[in-house]
Amino acid sequence: MVNIPFSNSYLHVADALFSPQLPTPVKEPGLIRVNQPLAEALLINPSELMSEEGVAVLAGNQIPSGAEPIATAYAGHQFGGWNPQLGDGRAILLGEVIGKDNHRYDIQLKGAGPTPYSRMGDGRSPIGPVLREYIVSEAMAAMGVPTTRSLAAVTTGEGVFRQGMLPGAILTRVASSHIRVGTFQYFAMKGDIALLTALADHVIDRHYPAAKTADNPYAELLNGVIERQAKLIAKWMSVGFIHGVMNTDNMLVCGETVDYGPCAFMDTYRAETVYSSIDHGGRYAYKNQPYIAQWNLAQLAQSLLPLLADNETDSVNLAQQAVDSFVAIYQAAYDEVVHNKLGFAEISGDTKALIPQLLALMTEHKVDFTLGFRALADTAYVAYAGQAGAGNPQSVADLYQLPAEMSDWVERWLALLNAEMKTHPKADKAGQALMYASNPVFIPRNHLIEQVIVAATQSGDLTPFHTMVDLLVNPYDFNPEKSQFAIPPRPDQVVLQTFCGT
């Protein structure tokens, strides 16, 4: 028997928030992987999930005790265009659990069949998007980026037609909640203030309990969401992550990254980089992500206007102040994470000036974003420790070196690091540790994910998938025996487009 300690709350807020929906059983489910540490953190026995009965649960063929499956309703702006009716088109929320940390988490089956919100879709997922989301979400978690997680993945034994027949799969996704900006938009659109209030109260109880004692709990809720999103986007930018489809229905109010469809990590640094095959105008390019996040949050603020004050003028002023605060919060968060990447303990005008100079040089000389920063960590190690780079077990000098044209910038950077050491005697060792802990060497590179998907799709070989997942558990620890996973793609391996998989 599979024991999942469900403790459901969302479906008791209001019936209009969802539609009851059972998963559609599949022909012949098979286990791909169970995330054992995550299962244990959720107080679920991973061995039970890996059993025949457990696989049936993960495939939607069996409903465990305590589950109350639903598909949630929401709306959203998609590429700036309003869509009043979206909802979970291929995802079914089984219920919620309270983990070891005493926090509440959703458990959702993604690709579990059609729902009332499927909009003529089949509600299924090919194996490729499932493997991509498992790899990238777990890598993001390992890098300390707030994210939904992957608890398990299973095959369905059925084909999914997407420009040809592909093997089907289902992902079990875990989130602090799946409540979106688009959820608030959906109920604000309906003009049901009682329902909007109930939703906001639920989010406050679940994610922002300190807001309950604030003078204006709903303004504090808005400020809390804005702060979390600003810090989240700063984290994305610091690791070269491009979401690819930042619609308002893909922004969770809990502050976690969700929906790893056409996402990608940059190889060569270029601020205008776009991978998503559906982002024809570059709306969600790497450099635009902070601006789009603020735009999305403005839509949340608009949805909350009826709750912010007794009159429209005061509500609009409070909303505008909150949305305007995003810029300063984001900039402070971004400065902090990039200074960590550069080894600085303190932020100054001189150190801040280094950042745009560095990015301009990386663009001009086509520097790999991940290994470029990692090579700076090696440079600091040599400067501080006085050792050859090859003597450092974390060094990527044999794989990647910075262009000689960056030497002037490197000298200015090292001079500022040395100046900081005079006021912080232990800053040399601390700076080295900080840089290696802030600059991953292994990321889910696009060409590697493509190799994983091709192997699984064409020959059913999941070994590359498991190898990549295992490697990315420790993205900061360089293992020379795994160096092939760190190097940038050859020209013939470069992935130019990624796809949403729906």
Side-chain angles (χ1 to χ4, degrees):
M1 179 178 178
V2 178
N3 179 31
I4 300 177
F6 286 108
S7 175
N8 305 326
S9 65
Y10 189 65
L11 78 171
H12 301 301
V13 178
D15 290 345
L17 294 172
F18 62 89
S19 296
Q21 179 63 56
L22 291 172
T24 302
V26 300
K27 180 179 179 181
E28 190 176 348
L31 181 64
I32 296 175
R33 188 178 180 107
V34 166
N35 188 335
Q36 297 188 47
L38 179 57
E40 291 168 356
L42 299 175
L43 299 176
I44 301 171
N45 186 335
S47 297
E48 292 180 3
L49 290 182
M50 290 185 281
S51 69
E52 182 176 351
E53 182 182 354
V55 173
V57 168
L58 297 171
N61 285 18
Q62 184 171 321
I63 306 302
S65 176
E68 298 176 88
I70 60 173
T72 66
Y74 48 86
H77 280 90
Q78 298 184 305
F79 290 90
W82 172 245
N83 191 327
Q85 178 66 69
L86 293 170
D88 291 330
R90 59 171 180 160
I92 294 174
L93 180 64
L94 290 181
E96 305 156 22
V97 299
I98 298 175
K100 280 184 179 180
D101 59 3
N102 208 35
H103 291 165
R104 184 176 294 273
Y105 297 93
D106 285 354
I107 297 181
Q108 182 191 71
L109 301 182
K110 188 175 179 181
T115 77
Y117 313 108
S118 292
R119 304 183 298 282
M120 304 301 291
D122 60 13
R124 294 302 189 187
S125 175
I127 194 171
V130 167
L131 300 184
R132 175 185 292 274
E133 180 156 349
Y134 196 116
I135 291 168
V136 180
S137 64
E138 288 307 296
M140 293 281 270
M143 288 187 283
V145 181
T147 180
T148 56
R149 301 286 303 274
S150 296
L151 176 60
V154 297
T155 55
T156 63
E158 298 176 352
V160 177
F161 188 79
R162 300 287 188 273
Q163 298 178 324
M165 196 61 69
L166 299 168
I170 297 173
L171 179 79
T172 304
R173 182 163 69 188
V174 173
S176 293
S177 80
H178 286 86
I179 303 169
R180 308 153 189 266
V181 169
T183 312
F184 279 90
Q185 290 181 285
Y186 183 73
F187 294 103
M189 170 194 69
K190 291 180 176 294
D192 189 331
I193 306 304
L195 186 55
L196 190 66
T197 302
L199 176 63
D201 289 342
H202 175 77
V203 172
I204 288 172
D205 285 339
R206 188 163 177 175
H207 299 300
Y208 301 93
K212 287 191 286 189
T213 58
D215 292 337
N216 188 331
Y218 303 116
E220 192 63 24
L221 165 63
L222 178 58
N223 288 328
V225 176
I226 288 171
E227 181 177 3
R228 289 192 189 180
Q229 286 294 335
K231 292 179 177 179
L232 174 65
I233 305 303
K235 288 271 193 178
W236 287 5
M237 302 296 280
S238 75
V239 294
F241 175 75
I242 304 169
H243 185 279
V245 60
M246 288 180 66
N247 300 328
T248 57
D249 58 295
N250 288 332
M251 178 176 275
L252 298 183
V253 295
C254 66
E256 294 176 347
T257 312
V258 69
D259 196 341
Y260 292 95
C263 69
F265 285 79
M266 277 197 296
D267 294 312
T268 299
Y269 177 77
R270 181 174 169 272
E272 296 79 11
T273 299
V274 175
Y275 287 103
S276 171
S277 64
I278 57 176
D279 190 2
H280 304 297
R283 176 181 173 87
Y284 300 143
Y286 172 79
K287 70 175 183 178
N288 290 342
Q289 292 182 135
Y291 308 106
I292 293 298
Q294 187 182 29
W295 191 92
N296 288 349
L297 291 164
Q299 312 315 308
L300 174 63
Q302 182 174 350
S303 299
L304 290 173
L305 285 177
L307 309 185
L308 294 180
D310 293 333
N311 65 79
E312 183 177 354
T313 299
D314 289 345
S315 290
V316 170
N317 287 337
L318 285 170
Q320 191 65 59
Q321 291 171 16
V323 173
D324 288 346
S325 73
F326 175 90
V327 176
I329 298 170
Y330 166 77
Q331 192 61 54
Y334 178 78
D335 287 344
E336 181 180 357
V337 292
V338 178
H339 276 69
N340 288 344
K341 291 174 77 69
L342 294 176
F344 290 113
E346 293 186 349
I347 298 173
S348 70
D350 288 338
T351 58
K352 288 177 68 172
L354 287 173
I355 298 171
Q357 297 167 3
L358 171 61
L359 296 179
L361 287 167
M362 292 177 75
T363 303
E364 180 181 358
H365 301 293
K366 297 180 173 57
V367 174
D368 183 83
F369 184 85
T370 300
L371 292 186
F373 273 102
R374 187 70 178 205
L376 288 175
D378 292 341
T379 301
Y381 179 92
V382 173
Y384 290 144
Q387 300 178 27
N392 175 12
Q394 294 296 332
S395 174
V396 296
D398 292 338
L399 302 181
Y400 196 86
Q401 294 190 6
L402 294 171
E405 293 86 350
M406 293 180 61
S407 60
D408 288 345
W409 182 93
V410 169
E411 288 181 9
R412 293 197 304 274
W413 165 62
L414 288 176
L416 288 173
L417 282 177
N418 287 327
E420 185 174 87
M421 284 193 334
K422 294 178 181 178
T423 56
H424 295 79
K426 296 182 180 179
D428 56 348
K429 293 182 180 179
Q432 291 170 46
L434 185 62
M435 289 189 74
Y436 282 122
S438 304
N439 292 302
V441 63
F442 296 115
I443 60 168
R445 291 193 180 266
N446 306 321
H447 69 292
L448 298 177
I449 293 177
E450 187 64 22
Q451 291 170 12
V452 165
I453 293 173
V454 168
T457 301
Q458 295 186 359
S459 62
D461 183 6
L462 292 168
T463 300
F465 165 74
H466 293 298
T467 298
M468 198 165 182
V469 172
D470 291 340
L471 177 74
L472 293 171
V473 169
N474 297 302
Y476 300 100
D477 295 336
F478 181 46
N479 179 353
E481 295 181 0
K482 302 290 185 180
S483 61
Q484 71 270 26
F485 296 103
I487 58 177
R490 302 187 309 267
D492 63 301
Q493 294 177 314
V494 172
V495 173
L496 299 176
Q497 284 191 321
T498 51
F499 302 89
C500 65
T502 54

